[in-house]
Amino acid sequence: MQGFFASFGIAIEPRLANKAYSGAQQPHRQASPMRRATSPSPAADRPTTADSPLWPTLHKLLPYLWQYKWRVFLALSCLFSAKLANVAVPLVFKEMIDRLSGTPQTLALPALLLLLYGALRFSTALFTELREILFARVTQRAVRRIALEVFRHLHALSLRFHLQRQTGGVSRDIERGSRSISSLISYTLYSILPTLVEISLVLGILFARYDSSFVLITLASLSAYVVFTIKVSNWRIAIRRKVNDTDSAANTRAIDSLLNYETVKYFNNEEFEARRYDQQMQHWEDAATRSQVSLSWLNLGQQIIIALGVTVMMWRAADGVVAGTMTIGDLVLVNAFLIQLYMPLNFLGVVYREIRQSLADIERMFDLLAVNREIADAVDAAPLAPGAVHIRFAAVDFSYEPNRQILHGVDFELPTGRTLAVVGESGSGKSTLARLLYRFYDINRGQILINGKDLRQLTQSSLRAAIGIVPQDTVLFNDTIYYNILYGQPEASREQVLAAAESAQLAGFIERLPDGYETRVGERGLKLSGGEKQRVAIARALLKNPPILIFDEATSALDSKTEKAIQASLGTTLLDRTTLIIAHRLSTIMNADEILVMNAGRIIERGSHPQLLDAGGSYAQMWALQQLEDSGNALADEQAGAIQ
């Protein structure tokens, strides 16, 4: 096809020509849902912004582009220069045709026209590539900055948001949005704008050199094409939206099933999961088929309009040649202009469809930026001063949901260097204390004071830097054991990492591994046992070396021997730290300075281990029950040993 165009002296940009041709004939490729880890995000529940105007979205992008404004200006200059050269090529070619159609004495083609023709064709390619070179950094930097801003914003959002969101959907929103920024910038600045410039130049030349009917026919064809494309593309938005939604839903099911691989195997539910996945894939198949068929009808309608416009124009030009009002060169010029308009016009249809989709994807990503930061630093927030820490919960009420209160008037004090333990039934609000201390949520009433200052008047960064936690559910990064320990303090030396592993009774286990500290732990640490993960978490918290330590059921997965070894190792470590221990196994908190017993979000007992036993209340009953269980387990172990 390009060889055919080149025979008429038409300078076509190879990049755009190929995109236009392939884009017009093929549907927008839908990636197989199985290849993408996606799921609906909270943004998916809001009305889609696919119908949002182009310019407001570009206005949001301008600050990111303006960093390289001199590159933008130079790139736009190259753009206009390329289009001027592109339009001038058919004019020079017309002169060549007219001279060749003259008498034999004029057949000696002037060297100047040949040189000018070659220079113009080369200039089109030269200015196009210079434009790409100049603007490449601008686009990629904008994508990088926006993606980083969204990433940071997601980390700044509250725990409530992250408990509700679906990771695959959020990840896909960022991926689609980042990719679409590059597409939108390229299509808008390098397709729409140059196409408008080229159409204006061609219409101006046709109006100046020929009958006004040429301009009217061209305008009619352009108008019909644009109106048809916009109408049909708008109709297809709902179909494309359905494809994306079913795509995301299918991936949600796939990823959720794979993340819970062991559970699927435990219950022998492979076929059940396959049926659920295939049901969603069927919805995706139907939507993708409709998208393909509707795109084919759109392409067919566009080609009919173009074919009619070209036929009428060439008939008018041929009539002029027969009447003697136009030369052969004029006929070639009109034909060249028509083809030159046809290519960007055809590409304009692809551009419009892609811009609509890019707008939707970018707005989804900007929706993430618009999510309110529920927990934000106060304007006058101050950093927590380094050193010892004193904690006070003063009549704290808290609820995750308005109709479900978790804490009722919780009041206690944790002095510097002391250890406070909290026990109680599941759901009594023990772990909530740790979340509030980290300020993952703000309380409803009361105060949480750190060194006498309200938690909300401290910067979150300095507050969390002062706390180290061993969570109840330890989740590790899919990296090495060394990396996961080092995560507690990324600047720590190797010797400090090894010392932390030793304190967590982890060194012996690691040394027995073939790859030692470079052993990879797998997705979420699933290659390690529960006890091994807990010891990694303990080592990580110790490496951080914070003034506040929180142990949330930190040894629940450990055997008694390892647990006692860790407690002995931590004995000196906890001396100068303010420590909060949330425990179920009471033997782990016997030496705590004070023990709180919670029930239904209220403190029902408090005191030391001996004091609470003497009181004969809930704590004493819990202690007696656990002692009975421990005795039964010990007897069972002895009997098993005797049988062996």
Side-chain angles (χ1 to χ4, degrees), residues 253-512:
R253 290 191 175 180
I255 298 304
D256 189 47
S257 179
L258 292 175
L259 288 176
N260 292 281
Y261 169 84
E262 290 184 74
T263 304
V264 174
K265 290 295 183 182
Y266 289 153
F267 293 93
N268 196 33
N269 275 342
E270 293 90 342
E271 282 304 313
F272 173 72
E273 290 295 323
R275 286 196 302 272
R276 290 178 72 239
Y277 179 68
D278 189 53
Q279 287 173 0
Q280 197 59 56
M281 283 291 292
Q282 183 178 354
H283 297 318
W284 174 84
E285 177 189 349
D286 294 340
T289 301
R290 287 187 63 203
S291 179
Q292 167 75 49
V293 172
S294 64
L295 181 59
S296 296
W297 284 113
L298 173 61
N299 289 335
L300 183 61
Q302 290 171 338
Q303 299 310 311
I304 290 173
I305 294 172
I306 291 173
L308 288 174
V310 169
T311 301
V312 174
M313 283 283 282
M314 291 308 297
W315 169 80
R316 183 67 186 85
D319 187 60
V321 173
V322 172
T325 58
M326 298 177 66
T327 65
I328 297 297
D330 290 322
L331 178 65
V332 172
L333 177 64
V334 170
N335 182 65
F337 275 157
L338 285 175
I339 297 175
Q340 205 152 292
L341 282 182
Y342 163 80
M343 294 307 297
L345 185 64
N346 191 38
F347 187 45
L348 191 62
V350 180
V351 168
Y352 180 77
R353 297 194 297 269
E354 293 302 320
I355 284 180
R356 294 300 298 249
Q357 186 59 39
S358 295
L359 283 173
D361 292 340
I362 292 172
E363 287 300 316
R364 286 284 286 268
M365 187 168 70
F366 279 135
D367 282 346
L368 292 175
L369 280 175
V371 175
N372 181 48
R373 293 178 58 180
E374 180 184 344
I375 308 299
D377 287 342
V379 177
D380 58 346
L384 177 64
V389 174
H390 179 282
I391 300 172
R392 169 79 192 280
F393 274 61
V396 170
D397 287 354
F398 173 73
S399 59
Y400 291 108
E401 304 294 339
N403 59 349
R404 182 184 169 219
Q405 188 165 342
I406 303 298
L407 299 182
H408 303 265
V410 172
D411 197 301
F412 65 85
E413 190 169 349
L414 180 50
T416 301
R418 305 295 292 276
T419 298
L420 176 72
V422 183
V423 299
E425 297 177 354
S426 297
S428 60
K430 304 186 301 295
S431 295
T432 299
L433 299 178
R435 289 179 170 180
L436 294 180
L437 195 56
Y438 260 100
R439 207 189 165 199
F440 288 154
Y441 302 93
D442 276 338
I443 59 178
N444 302 125
R445 283 179 295 276
Q447 281 185 307
I448 301 177
L449 304 172
I450 306 291
N451 291 343
K453 195 166 187 177
D454 193 297
L455 194 73
R456 290 165 289 198
Q457 297 302 313
L458 299 172
T459 61
Q460 296 176 67
S461 177
S462 65
L463 171 68
R464 292 166 187 165
I467 306 175
I469 188 170
V470 181
Q472 182 176 357
D473 182 19
T474 300
V475 177
L476 303 180
F477 291 97
N478 189 5
D479 210 299
T480 64
I481 293 177
Y482 184 88
Y483 174 86
N484 277 282
I485 298 176
L486 183 67
Y487 199 80
Q489 186 182 334
E491 300 81 16
S493 66
R494 185 172 183 84
E495 290 71 22
Q496 290 173 307
V497 172
L498 300 183
E502 188 71 39
S503 297
Q505 300 298 306
L506 194 61
F509 160 72
I510 295 175
E511 290 170 358
R512 292 193 297 271

Side-chain angles (χ1 to χ4, degrees), residues 419 470 499-500 502-505 538-539 541-543 549 551 554-555 558 562-577 579 581 588:
T419 298
V470 181
E502 188 71 39
S503 297
Q505 300 298 306
I538 292 171
L542 294 178
L543 182 65
L549 274 174
F551 295 91
T555 58
L558 299 179
T562 304
E563 181 184 54
K564 290 178 181 178
I566 290 178
Q567 287 177 337
S569 177
L570 293 177
T572 55
T573 304
L574 302 182
L575 286 179
D576 299 325
R577 303 179 197 277
T579 307
I581 301 177
T588 62

